[in-house]
Amino acid sequence: MVKATAAANDAAIAALNLHHHEVVLEVGFGKGRTVAILANDGHQVIGADPSPTMVAQARARNRRSVRAGAVRLELGDGVRIPFEDGAADAALTVHTIYFMTDPATTFAEIARVLRPGGRLSLACFVSDDGIDPWKDPHIYRTPSSVEVLELLNRAGFNEIEHRRLDHPSNVHLLTARKPES
């Protein structure tokens, strides 16, 4: 999974246009590859993932940064993200929307954890492009691009930009901003 999602994660990071020493929230960090990139670039990383196995693997992969206090990775289902209001400057979530039990609440939680003016980068497949036949719709809930835009709007995000990535193909990248006030 890490190799398959690396390009989308890299695009999501680039879209955030991070400045040095920002606090970045990652929702659904998996094995922690993106966490490591962000921490190595001098950012503080906070993250939530619903899998105890992924939390353990990501903490092990980033053990030095965790010990140094630069990385904090917690178990979280996305319905409640275990961080304080306004804790992050930026957030990203890549290929996670399909598994969210309540995406509207997850995006509202991301907005809560972002500081005013904070940026969100979201990369995912959308149903507009068709759904791979091997993806069980009971497991992979793939929204349309309109549904994703509506979810972001309802969570209070603005300045929403949407584009399709050239690589990896058919991945949609959406960036949004939490209003200043």
Side-chain angles (χ1 to χ4, degrees):
M1 228 23 203
V2 172
K3 288 180 184 178
T5 62
N9 277 283
D10 294 346
I13 292 170
L16 288 172
N17 192 28
L18 295 169
H19 306 288
H20 201 59
H21 301 296
E22 290 198 78
V23 178
V24 182
L25 166 68
E26 184 173 11
V27 175
F29 50 75
K31 293 184 177 187
R33 174 193 176 271
T34 301
V35 170
I37 290 169
L38 292 165
N40 288 338
D41 284 347
H43 302 290
Q44 183 177 351
V45 183
I46 57 177
D49 195 285
S51 167
T53 301
M54 292 298 102
V55 172
Q57 288 182 9
R59 284 179 180 164
R61 181 182 199 147
N62 293 282
R63 75 176 62 75
R64 285 189 191 121
S65 296
V66 169
R67 275 188 289 217
V71 169
R72 183 175 159 206
L73 304 174
E74 302 293 339
L75 187 64
D77 60 6
V79 175
R80 176 80 178 110
I81 296 175
F83 299 106
E84 306 79 30
D85 294 2
D89 300 297
L92 72 153
T93 187
V94 177
H95 292 305
T96 58
I97 195 168
Y98 332 113
F99 312 110
M100 293 177 183
T101 57
D102 183 359
T105 299
T106 300
F107 288 126
E109 275 291 282
I110 291 170
R112 180 190 61 77
V113 175
L114 281 173
R115 293 183 177 115
R119 291 113 44 223
L120 168 64
S121 183
L122 160 70
C124 63
F125 294 112
V126 295
S127 62
D128 311 27
D129 299 323
I131 298 173
D132 292 327
W134 62 268
K135 290 182 180 173
D136 181 339
H138 295 96
I139 297 171
Y140 288 87
R141 293 174 299 277
T142 307
S144 70
S145 58
V146 169
E147 289 171 317
V148 177
L149 291 168
E150 287 173 357
L151 288 165
L152 293 171
N153 276 312
R154 279 192 305 198
F157 287 100
N158 63 18
E159 298 181 35
I160 301 169
E161 295 182 15
H162 173 206
R163 66 183 171 98
R164 184 186 302 210
L165 298 175
D166 293 328
H167 179 72
S169 62
N170 290 330
V171 172
H172 291 250
L173 180 67
L174 295 97
T175 56
R177 186 172 294 275
K178 179 179 176 177
E180 289 288 338
S181 56

